[in-house]
Amino acid sequence: MTPEPGVRLRHRHLLGIEPLDAGEIGLILDTAESFLEISTRPIKKVPTLRGRTIVNLFMEPSTRTRSSFEIAEKRLSADSLNFSVSGSSVSKGESLLDTARNLEAMAPDMIVVRHSAAGAPHMLARACRSIIVNAGDGAHEHPTQALLDAFTMRQKKGKLAGLKVAIVGDLLHSRVVRSNIFLLGKVGAEVHVSGPPTLIPPGLDRLGVKVVTRMETALEGADVIMMLRVQRERMVRGAFPSVREYFNLYGLTEERVRLARKDVIVMHPGPINRGVEIAAEVADGPTSVILDQVTNGVAVRMAVLYLLSGGAGSELAS
Amino acid sequence: MNWLLKGGRVVDPAARLDAVRDVLVRDGKIVRVGESIPADNSRVLDLKGKVVAPGFIDMHVHLREPGREDEETMESGGAAAAAGGFTSIAVMPNTDPWNDSQSVTEYIVSQARSRCPVNVYPIGCVSKQGKGEELAEIGDMVKSGIVAISDDGHPVASAHLMRMALEYTRIFGIPVIDHCEERSLSCGGVMHEGFHSTLLGLKGAPAASEEILVARDLILAEMTGGRIHIAHLSTRRSLEKVREAKARGIAVTCEVTPHHFSLTDAAVAESHYDTNTKMNPPLREESDRQAMLQGLADGTVDAIASDHAPHNRIEKEMEFDQAPFGILGLETSVSLALDRLFHAGLLDLTRLVGLYTTSPARILGLERGTLAAGVPADITVLDLEKSVSVDQGGFRSKSRNAPYQGWKLRGAPVLTMVGGRIAFDGRS
């Protein structure tokens, strides 16, 4: 696919999906198509971001997102520096702003930030000259995850508009669900969400999604099922009585998958809790595209880094 | 110094007066309010075109002294109050140490007397160290000058302790001021729970966490005959409960802050997580804000109080989750009220002045809030048309945490007189 002529990212940073329009989302996805091929080459490296410095500032534990960004940066030939919270000055009491200011004194071009506090990337964007990429902020947004999810849906279904996407699980603590709701709404997909009422934040329906408490209702006729991780580490006590009961009510089993369309795909942002939100047979079964999501994540992040660094979709480095 | 305040529009709700008059001040006291008073040996202040009102009282201020003088002191907080049009402030006890004993109360009173340009009325703790366990030595503190008790910053979590406080304070006739928040329900919320907290992914504190404690306090006030004052009331249902309780004759009063009548939780989103929009109780929804305006207009709300909460820059320059609650208010309160309430046509001047004078004086039992002959000459002069562009860089406060930077407001205090002495003169 080729991007529409003249479409560029209007934003200097990627702080979330909410500020993007459908044209920008399309541009990122189309650009990622071109980058996907690079990952299949024997030498998986292009000189696109040679000489650029990217700092991966991960203030919250994360393996897959950090690795995905790191691989994306390396494949684009950027110089990257990993800064994580353990053993850093943060554990000695330095504030986020001071950490960022110090990093910035080393003149990076971009800072990829993951933080447990919603809004932390916005704060950095106000204080720093570097381009900020949000790699997940608290329960707010995880824009590259939503982009890779959309990329995977488009790859498997050939379109986004008109798809029925069911998102099930811990909606309250999920940054993935917010970014996906914003994105899918902008590209014309229909979103149904479900979870225990104790894990549904207020006003979600005002974001244009259908909210139901019975999981089965959300799954009926779905083209895509996206399961969310139960974030027990963030959870207020008492949101549900036990993991066993949760799985009985909201776990994705093969039987429940059959409520959706025959060609349904099952997604999960990972890491998965087998037997909590998803049965092992489903996670590993034919409908699962969970590992494709991981592969696509690299291409999408390459596209984001490339476009934010000033590249336009039509002039990809080969 | 003797003064003749000449030709101003004198608005004194206690005297039901709204007319052009002269005010004569001698030896720190009001001598007379009348038409064409001769100057004699007094210095004349020409206040034609201005409003002359009793000195404004802010009944909810955090002065931070003792303990956090980096954030505010008697001098800086007093200067901020005077510049904001206030001649008296009641200061909350959550200092370091808490004001839970006679010695701390006496320290505050003595320091204020020598160092603060406005009158300072200490509020003592309900419980020792504000821990919510045992009553503080309220009687001793009353002797030393407290005018109310509160564990503000924290709610009085135990219904039993609140009952004891309401019963015990009947000896002294002072109110119990409660920060109403059921913390097992708000559990860690950093903004109002609603659409915007969902959008922003921030933990929300539901309106019900305030309303449950308001309801409890009203029940206990009725049961005990004690006086309850609801601090910084912020939700529509809290207000309805107070309105009903007043109609039934329960001894309840309440205050509303300027931020709760001028901002909503949308400000957190619009400001992209600016921690100057983080306060407790949090900014609520538009329906709540409208209810505050209605309550101010119909008399349900007794006072406008700023909940002036200075925080130093380092503490507010944090992730939203981690930053402390609270914003400044002394220097913007009156302009916000004039702009958003008076000029918006919601309140007449008598009602607005009453919210800052007669009512807080009555609640706290102060012999102030009027221009009657013989009372201390505490006077606030307003210029209803002065246009203000809020510049927190110019604040007298030691802190800068306010969400109003650059706001254009109509109306401002221009002169503050405390006991016959000019504490602030901003006429230009």
Side-chain angles (χ1 to χ4, degrees):
Chain A
M1 298 191 192
T2 30
E4 284 176 46
V7 177
R8 298 176 73 92
L9 293 183
R10 290 182 298 119
H11 300 87
R12 190 160 174 270
H13 310 283
L14 180 66
L15 300 179
I17 297 293
E18 197 193 1
L20 303 183
D21 61 31
E24 291 170 291
I25 291 164
L27 173 65
I28 296 169
L29 300 187
D30 293 343
T31 309
E33 295 274 4
S34 315
F35 280 120
L36 193 61
E37 183 268 330
I38 293 169
S39 299
T40 64
R41 294 180 192 173
I43 297 172
K44 304 175 182 62
K45 206 170 176 82
V46 290
T48 316
L49 294 188
R50 193 165 55 198
R52 306 287 179 101
T53 307
I54 303 178
V55 172
N56 299 314
L57 179 59
F58 276 64
M59 313 289 275
E60 184 186 66
S62 158
T63 306
R64 76 185 57 216
T65 303
R66 200 193 64 202
S67 307
S68 183
F69 267 106
E70 211 179 324
I71 292 172
E73 289 153 13
K74 288 188 188 335
R75 288 190 180 162
L76 293 170
S77 301
D79 297 316
S80 57
L81 167 75
N82 289 323
F83 187 97
S84 54
V85 68
S86 60
S88 73
S89 48
V90 175
S91 58
K92 298 171 191 161
E94 188 172 65
S95 73
L96 173 64
L97 274 188
D98 279 328
T99 303
R101 283 174 187 139
N102 275 289
L103 289 172
E104 196 164 68
M106 301 174 213
D109 298 286
M110 289 192 200
I111 299 176
V112 177
V113 61
R114 156 69 65 95
H115 200 289
S116 61
H122 301 73
M123 188 174 153
L124 293 183
R126 273 198 295 270
C128 298
R129 289 183 304 274
S130 307
I131 293 163
I132 305 295
V133 180
N134 182 358
D137 62 327
H140 178 225
E141 282 225 44
H142 193 351
T144 56
Q145 178 70 43
L147 288 162
L148 75 88
D149 291 340
F151 184 88
T152 309
M153 287 179 216
R154 200 174 76 166
Q155 185 184 52
K156 305 293 177 189
K157 298 285 172 192
K159 61 171 185 177
L160 290 171
L163 289 181
K164 178 182 173 183
V165 181
I167 308 180
V168 180
D170 177 358
L171 306 164
L172 181 64
H173 300 97
S174 176
R175 49 191 166 219
V176 174
V177 76
R178 285 169 177 78
S179 287
N180 264 293
I181 287 173
F182 295 138
L183 191 153
L184 293 167
K186 287 171 199 279
V187 298
E190 188 186 319
V191 182
H192 295 239
V193 299
S194 182
T198 48
L199 293 175
I200 299 177
L204 209 56
D205 52 341
R206 283 175 62 188
L207 295 174
V209 302
K210 179 107 173 107
V211 183
V212 291
T213 48
R214 270 191 83 247
M215 178 190 191
E216 289 78 3
T217 312
L219 297 187
E220 275 163 22
D223 297 288
V224 178
I225 300 171
M226 185 184 293
M227 298 305 294
L228 299 172
R229 188 167 67 86
V230 174
Q231 301 195 38
R232 279 181 284 184
E233 73 278 11
R234 291 175 196 270
M235 206 161 285
V236 182
R237 264 187 315 136
F240 54 84
S242 69
V243 164
R244 199 180 61 80
E245 181 161 316
Y246 182 87
F247 185 74
N248 287 341
L249 289 169
Y250 295 99
L252 187 63
T253 57
E254 285 181 317
E255 190 190 354
R256 283 184 172 137
V257 172
R258 284 196 284 275
L259 295 168
R261 287 172 60 98
K262 274 204 174 63
D263 60 348
V264 70
I265 56 169
V266 171
M267 307 178 78
H268 192 300
I272 59 173
N273 292 315
R274 287 169 190 261
V276 179
E277 67 261 355
I278 190 164
E281 309 85 80
V282 177
D284 303 330
T287 56
S288 169
V289 297
I290 296 172
L291 295 177
D292 297 280
Q293 290 174 269
V294 179
T295 304
N296 294 336
V298 175
V300 164
R301 290 179 175 118
M302 287 168 81
V304 164
L305 296 172
Y306 168 71
L307 291 169
L308 288 175
S309 70
S314 55
E315 41 170 276
L316 276 184
S318 60
Chain B
M1 180 72 71
N2 299 328
W3 300 97
L4 181 65
L5 282 64
K6 192 121 192 91
R9 175 183 168 189
V10 174
V11 177
D12 183 0
R16 297 174 189 274
L17 178 66
D18 180 354
V20 173
R21 291 283 186 275
D22 295 346
V23 179
L24 185 63
V25 172
R26 188 167 294 153
D27 301 327
K29 295 209 159 113
I30 307 276
V31 175
R32 191 152 72 90
V33 175
E35 288 179 71
S36 302
I37 299 173
D40 293 338
N41 295 323
S42 307
R43 275 185 70 176
V44 177
L45 291 171
D46 178 10
L47 297 178
K48 202 170 160 208
K50 308 285 193 295
V51 169
V52 177
F56 281 15
I57 301 162
D58 190 335
M59 63 177 296
H60 191 147
V61 170
H62 296 272
L63 210 45
R64 303 292 186 225
E65 187 174 347
R68 286 305 304 268
E69 290 81 358
D70 57 315
E71 294 184 329
E72 202 74 287
T73 59
M74 296 285 173
E75 287 91 349
S76 65
F86 295 100
T87 58
S88 297
I89 54 178
V91 296
M92 283 295 173
N94 57 339
T95 46
D96 184 13
W98 284 74
N99 181 21
D100 65 349
S101 67
Q102 194 165 15
S103 57
V104 181
T105 305
E106 281 175 0
Y107 174 83
I108 293 169
V109 169
S110 68
Q111 292 300 310
R113 196 170 289 145
S114 59
R115 294 167 44 215
C116 189
V118 303
N119 307 304
V120 172
Y121 292 98
I123 295 167
C125 283
V126 172
S127 64
K128 288 175 185 155
Q129 294 172 54
K131 283 185 176 170
E133 290 163 4
E134 299 172 77
L135 286 181
E137 291 174 332
I138 298 163
D140 279 355
M141 290 191 289
V142 168
K143 264 192 226 159
S144 298
I146 64 162
V147 290
I149 56 169
S150 179
D151 279 350
D152 188 64
H154 301 307
V156 177
S158 148
H160 170 72
L161 189 76
M162 178 52 91
R163 174 192 177 170
M164 294 296 113
L166 285 164
E167 285 182 343
Y168 194 68
T169 47
R170 285 172 52 200
I171 307 171
F172 315 106
I174 60 171
V176 181
I177 302 177
D178 201 14
H179 165 126
C180 291
E181 181 187 356
E182 173 48 63
R183 289 206 163 154
S184 70
L185 191 56
S186 59
C187 54
V190 296
M191 71 175 291
H192 171 66
E193 181 181 298
F195 174 69
H196 289 287
S197 64
T198 293
L199 200 65
L200 294 169
L202 290 170
K203 175 102 182 71
S209 70
E210 174 176 311
E211 293 151 3
I212 287 168
L213 245 62
V214 169
R216 181 205 71 175
D217 286 355
L218 294 172
I219 290 166
L220 291 172
E222 183 169 25
M223 170 185 158
T224 59
R227 285 173 56 204
I228 186 78
H229 176 80
I230 310 296
H232 42 49
L233 182 147
S234 71
T235 86
R236 178 174 56 81
R237 285 196 197 87
S238 295
L239 194 76
E240 283 167 6
K241 287 181 199 327
V242 168
R243 191 179 282 128
E244 287 161 18
K246 283 188 164 187
R248 291 177 45 227
I250 297 171
V252 56
T253 51
C254 68
E255 69 194 30
V256 164
T257 71
H259 44 279
H260 287 116
F261 71 65
S262 63
L263 285 165
T264 66
D265 58 345
V268 187
E270 284 157 10
S271 70
H272 302 289
Y273 300 90
D274 182 352
T275 56
N276 288 323
T277 60
K278 181 177 177 181
M279 57 283 278
N280 192 7
L283 297 172
R284 303 288 187 185
E285 296 175 11
E286 180 59 16
S287 60
D288 297 306
R289 191 182 77 87
Q290 290 297 334
M292 297 308 110
L293 295 174
Q294 179 61 37
L296 285 157
D298 70 16
T300 307
V301 176
D302 296 277
I304 296 172
S306 71
D307 193 6
H308 180 81
H311 289 292
N312 74 26
R313 192 174 62 91
I314 298 165
E315 286 178 351
K316 272 289 194 183
E317 268 187 4
M318 298 285 281
E319 294 85 328
F320 199 89
D321 287 349
Q322 291 167 28
F325 292 102
I327 61 163
L328 300 180
L330 280 169
E331 291 173 79
T332 46
S333 175
V334 174
S335 286
L336 283 164
L338 288 171
D339 188 274
R340 299 301 161 103
L341 305 176
F342 171 70
H343 285 301
L346 290 161
L347 302 189
D348 64 24
L349 210 50
T350 300
R351 170 88 183 118
L352 186 142
V353 171
L355 285 160
Y356 281 109
T357 57
T358 332
S359 276
R362 174 175 46 82
I363 295 165
L364 299 176
L366 312 181
E367 289 183 7
R368 297 185 187 273
T370 172
L371 295 173
V375 304
D378 291 354
I379 296 168
T380 294
V381 179
L382 308 172
D383 181 338
L384 298 179
E385 299 304 325
K386 184 172 180 172
S387 63
V388 175
S389 177
V390 178
D391 174 19
Q392 58 199 35
F395 281 172
R396 270 81 170 170
S397 171
K398 273 192 147 183
S399 295
R400 292 289 173 268
N401 51 308
Y404 306 113
Q405 179 64 25
W407 281 35
K408 304 267 186 289
L409 300 170
R410 185 173 161 206
V414 290
L415 187 129
T416 310
M417 182 176 281
V418 181
R421 186 176 39 78
I422 291 177
F424 168 74
D425 189 352
R427 294 172 300 155
S428 53

